[in-house]
C-alpha cells in the first residue's frame, strides 16, 4: 500500500493507493499512526480514490484511526470511495460511524466547520 500526503490548513490529506489487505494493513496503520503523532493538532482526510481492494483488515485501520483521533478531539473524514469499497462499508454497517464524502473538497469543507 502506497500513500502520499499533503497539508491543507489544519488538515492532513492521506492519499491511499493499491490494496488494503491483511499483508499490507499493519504497515499502513503504523505509518498513519506515526503521522497522527507528528501532526498532533491536525484533522485527517483519507482519500480512497486509488484503493483497488480492501479487506476487513483495511476496515480495522479506519476504525483504529478514528478512535485515536477522537481521543484527542480531532476528526477523520473519508472521501472518494469507489463502489466496491463503499459496498464493504455498507455491508458491515459502518457508513454511519464515519464522515464520508464524495470529494476531497467536500471533506475539507466539512472539517472547516467542526
Amino acid at each position: 500500500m502506497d500513500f502520499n500526503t499533503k497539508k491543507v490548513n489544519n488538515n492532513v490529506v492521506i492519499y491511499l493507493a493499491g490494496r488494503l489487505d491483511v499483508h499490507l494493513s499493519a504497515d499502513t496503520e503504523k505509518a498513519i499512526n506515526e503521522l497522527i503523532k507528528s501532526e498532533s493538532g491536525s484533522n485527517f482526510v483519507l482519500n480512497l480514490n486509488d484503493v483497488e481492494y480492501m479487506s476487513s483488515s483495511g476496515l480495522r485501520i479506519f476504525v483504529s484511526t478514528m478512535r485515536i483521533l477522537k481521543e484527542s478531539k480531532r476528526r477523520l473524514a473519508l472521501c472518494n470511495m469507489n463502489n466496491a469499497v463503499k459496498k464493504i462499508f455498507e455491508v458491515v454497517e459502518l457508513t454511519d460511524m464515519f464522515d464520508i464524502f464524495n470529494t476531497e473538497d467536500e471533506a475539507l469543507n466539512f472539517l472547516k466547520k467542526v
Side-chain angles (χ1 to χ4, degrees):
M1 169 63 57
D2 295 323
F3 74 78
N4 294 306
T5 63
K6 78 174 180 184
K7 185 92 182 218
V8 180
N9 300 321
N10 195 40
N11 305 299
V12 175
V13 181
I14 300 174
Y15 299 90
L16 297 171
R19 297 175 59 86
L20 256 180
D21 58 23
V22 68
H23 304 293
L24 301 171
S25 290
D27 290 340
T28 302
E29 184 174 12
K30 182 179 177 187
I32 290 172
N33 288 342
E34 288 172 7
L35 195 55
I36 288 171
K37 286 178 189 170
S38 69
E39 294 288 345
S40 61
S42 297
N43 293 309
F44 282 77
V45 175
L46 294 179
N47 187 320
L48 307 177
N49 189 63
D50 295 320
V51 173
E52 300 162 4
Y53 169 81
M54 186 174 68
S55 70
S56 58
S57 299
L59 281 175
R60 188 178 55 79
I61 292 172
F62 299 137
V63 172
S64 171
T65 299
M66 185 185 61
R67 284 188 183 137
I68 291 167
L69 290 170
K70 213 175 225 185
E71 287 173 5
S72 58
K73 307 267 189 277
R74 295 185 282 164
R75 299 294 290 263
L76 172 66
L78 308 178
C79 68
N80 291 340
M81 285 184 185
N82 66 35
N83 288 334
V85 172
K86 192 177 287 186
K87 186 74 172 170
I88 292 168
F89 275 82
E90 291 168 357
V91 166
V92 295
E93 298 180 356
L94 286 178
T95 53
D96 292 339
M97 188 175 181
F98 292 93
D99 297 312
I100 300 172
F101 300 92
N102 291 324
T103 68
E104 184 178 313
D105 286 340
E106 288 174 9
L108 290 169
N109 284 333
F110 167 77
L111 291 174
K112 280 183 194 174
K113 299 172 187 173
V114 294

